[in-house]
Amino acid sequence: MNDLSTPDFKTLEQFIIEQQEMSGGATGAFSRLLRDLSVAAKVVNRDMRRAGLVDILGASGEVNVQGEVQQKMDALAHAEFVRALRRGGETCLIGSEEHAEAIPLDGDRPGEDGRYIVLLDPLDGSSNIDVNVSVGTIFSVYHLPEGAAPTLEAALQPGTEQVAAGYIVYGSSTILVYTTGNGVNGFTLEPSIGEFILSHPNIRTPETGTMYSVNEGNYNSFEDGLKRWIKWAQAEDKATARPYTTRYIGSFVSDFHRNLVKGGIYIYPASAKSPEGKLRLMYESNPMAFIVEQAGGMASNGRGRVMETQPTALHQRTPLYIGSKAMVEQVERFLAGEEG
Ligand code: AHM
Ligand code: MG
C-alpha cells in the first residue's frame, strides 16, 4: 500500500483517467460510469459501517429522515447503486439481484442516453451482516448492442462480452477490485480522505494453491467426481502439500478475494438443495470469472468455461468452480472421471 505521506499515491479516479488517455478515442463515458460505481460503493461503505448501530440510531430518528437506515442493507445498497447510475447518466439498463425485472433508466440528460448495461449484486452475502462478517458488491458491465433497445434481451450476453467487471469487499478494510480486460487492479479506501487508493496493482493469482472453499455440509449430494476430489484434497501427501485447508466464509466476495490473492479454489456445485448451483450467472459468476481469468486463473461450471454460457434469464444460476488454474483444471478432470 502506498504511503499517503508521500506524494506518489494514485487514486482510483487518477488511474481511470490515465487508462482513458491510454486508450485513444475514449469519450470519457466509461470513465464516468466507473466513477459512478465507485461513488455508490463509498455510500454503501458508509452505511455498512453503521449497520450495527441501525437499531439504536434508527430508533432515535436522527440518522435518516427518509427512514432508509431501517431498510434491510441489501435493499439500501440496491437503491444507492441505482441512484448513482441513474444520476450519472451513462447506464441505460440495470439488472440487480434485488429486483425481479431489468430496470431501464431514462437518463436525465435528454438526447444523451447511456450506452452501458450494468448487472449487479448490490450486497452479496448480506445474511452475514448481522454477525459482522464481510460482505461485498459485484458488478458486470456490457455495451448496449448497436441499434438495440435497453431491454432484458439486450442484457442477455455471454460473459465473454463484458467490458468491465469488479467487486468491492466491505471488510476489515474496503477494497475495490476491477478489470476492463487489461489486467486486474485493486484499490483500498483511505477513509481519512475518502478516496480509493491503488494498493494492489496488476493482481496475478497464484497458478495453484492449497485452500478450497465449499459448503461441505452439502457433501452427500455432490456428484461423485467432486466427492472424490474432496477426499483427494484431504489425503496426506507431503509432495503436494496435502491435506489442503478449508476456508469457507459463506460470503462469496470475501472467499473469492482471499483465494485470488493467496491461491485456492471456490466451489459452489449443483447439490440437492440447489440443483443448478446457487450463484447467479449474470452478476455473480461472470464478473468474477472475467476477473479471475484476467488475473491468470480460471472459472468453470464443471464442464466448460463459465463465460461462454449463453444466458437465457437475468437471475439464472450456474455451478461454479473458480480460482487458481491448476486447481480448477484438476477438479474438472475428477468430474470427467479421469482422476481419482
Ligand atoms: P446471496 O446472494 O443471497 O447473498 O447468496 C450468495 C451467497 C454467497 O455469498 C455465498 O458464497 C453463498 O451464498 C453461501 O451459500 P451457502 O450458505 O449455501 O453455503
Ligand atoms: Mg448474491
Side-chain angles (χ1 to χ4, degrees):
M1 173 105 192
N2 290 312
D3 178 359
L4 289 178
S5 60
T6 64
D8 64 348
F9 66 84
K10 192 175 289 176
T11 69
L12 173 62
E13 217 144 306
Q14 289 166 334
F15 183 87
I16 291 170
I17 288 167
E18 246 177 51
Q19 298 288 309
Q20 180 190 322
E21 282 166 357
M22 270 154 40
S23 68
T27 61
F30 183 63
S31 299
R32 288 193 292 273
L33 171 67
L34 290 176
R35 181 209 52 204
D36 299 340
L37 287 164
S38 75
V39 168
K42 286 186 208 174
V43 175
V44 170
N45 177 67
R46 182 203 59 194
D47 295 341
M48 288 295 307
R49 299 293 164 209
R50 286 192 196 143
L53 295 169
V54 162
D55 289 343
I56 304 162
L57 300 179
S60 75
E62 286 170 10
V63 167
N64 184 326
V65 281
Q66 284 98 39
E68 280 177 339
V69 84
Q70 284 155 1
Q71 283 181 33
K72 284 186 68 192
M73 278 304 300
D74 40 14
L76 184 54
H78 166 86
E80 294 298 359
F81 274 92
V82 172
R83 188 176 304 162
L85 293 172
R86 190 188 295 277
R87 198 189 301 123
E90 308 301 342
T91 308
C92 59
L93 189 77
I94 297 176
S96 163
E97 175 163 349
E98 296 302 322
H99 202 85
E101 316 289 337
I103 307 165
L105 300 183
D106 291 327
D108 42 16
R109 294 183 300 166
E112 286 184 54
D113 287 346
R115 302 295 301 164
Y116 291 99
I117 296 170
V118 177
L119 307 177
L120 80 162
D121 184 351
L123 210 55
D124 185 64
S126 49
S127 62
N128 288 313
I129 294 175
D130 288 353
V131 288
N132 228 342
V133 168
S134 305
V135 294
T137 296
I138 311 173
F139 62 87
S140 173
V141 180
Y142 293 84
H143 283 298
L144 177 69
E146 208 53 51
T151 61
L152 174 62
E153 285 61 44
L156 296 178
Q157 306 179 38
T160 47
E161 296 300 312
Q162 290 173 99
V163 293
Y167 64 84
I168 298 110
V169 188
Y170 310 99
S172 42
S173 59
T174 297
I175 182 166
L176 183 154
V177 174
Y178 83 100
T179 184
T180 56
N182 188 21
V184 180
N185 291 282
F187 301 80
T188 302
L189 186 62
E190 215 308 336
S192 68
I193 58 169
E195 295 279 2
F196 282 104
I197 305 291
L198 180 60
S199 54
H200 296 64
N202 192 23
I203 298 174
R204 302 296 298 168
T205 197
E207 170 74 17
T208 192
T210 55
M211 275 190 280
Y212 70 102
S213 314
V214 65
N215 185 342
E216 268 176 289
N218 297 323
Y219 180 89
N220 285 341
S221 66
F222 291 166
E223 61 183 291
D224 286 347
L226 177 56
K227 284 181 176 168
R228 280 199 305 278
W229 182 81
I230 291 174
K231 287 295 159 210
W232 178 90
Q234 294 170 343
E236 214 155 308
D237 176 49
K238 277 216 171 68
T240 49
R242 285 180 290 152
Y244 287 173
T245 294
T246 311
R247 286 285 181 269
Y248 192 70
I249 299 170
S251 196
F252 178 41
V253 187
S254 311
D255 278 312
F256 176 88
H257 179 68
R258 183 203 50 243
N259 292 358
L260 183 77
V261 173
K262 295 194 166 179
I265 184 170
Y266 174 96
I267 300 173
Y268 210 110
S271 66
K273 255 194 257 169
S274 319
E276 309 293 327
K278 181 179 183 188
L279 297 183
R280 316 298 180 128
L281 173 67
M282 303 289 288
Y283 44 76
E284 293 178 326
S285 303
N286 271 339
M288 296 310 217
F290 191 18
I291 290 167
V292 86
E293 285 193 10
Q294 283 293 314
M298 188 171 165
S300 167
N301 58 21
R303 304 285 180 270
R305 191 176 174 214
V306 166
M307 287 207 288
E308 287 175 12
T309 311
Q310 175 58 54
T312 54
L314 178 58
H315 300 290
Q316 89 185 62
R317 300 173 194 269
T318 179
L320 185 64
Y321 299 79
I322 189 165
S324 292
K325 190 159 180 281
M327 297 179 88
V328 176
E329 281 173 349
Q330 193 197 28
V331 179
E332 275 189 338
R333 286 196 297 275
F334 271 79
L335 294 173
E338 291 162 12
E339 272 191 54

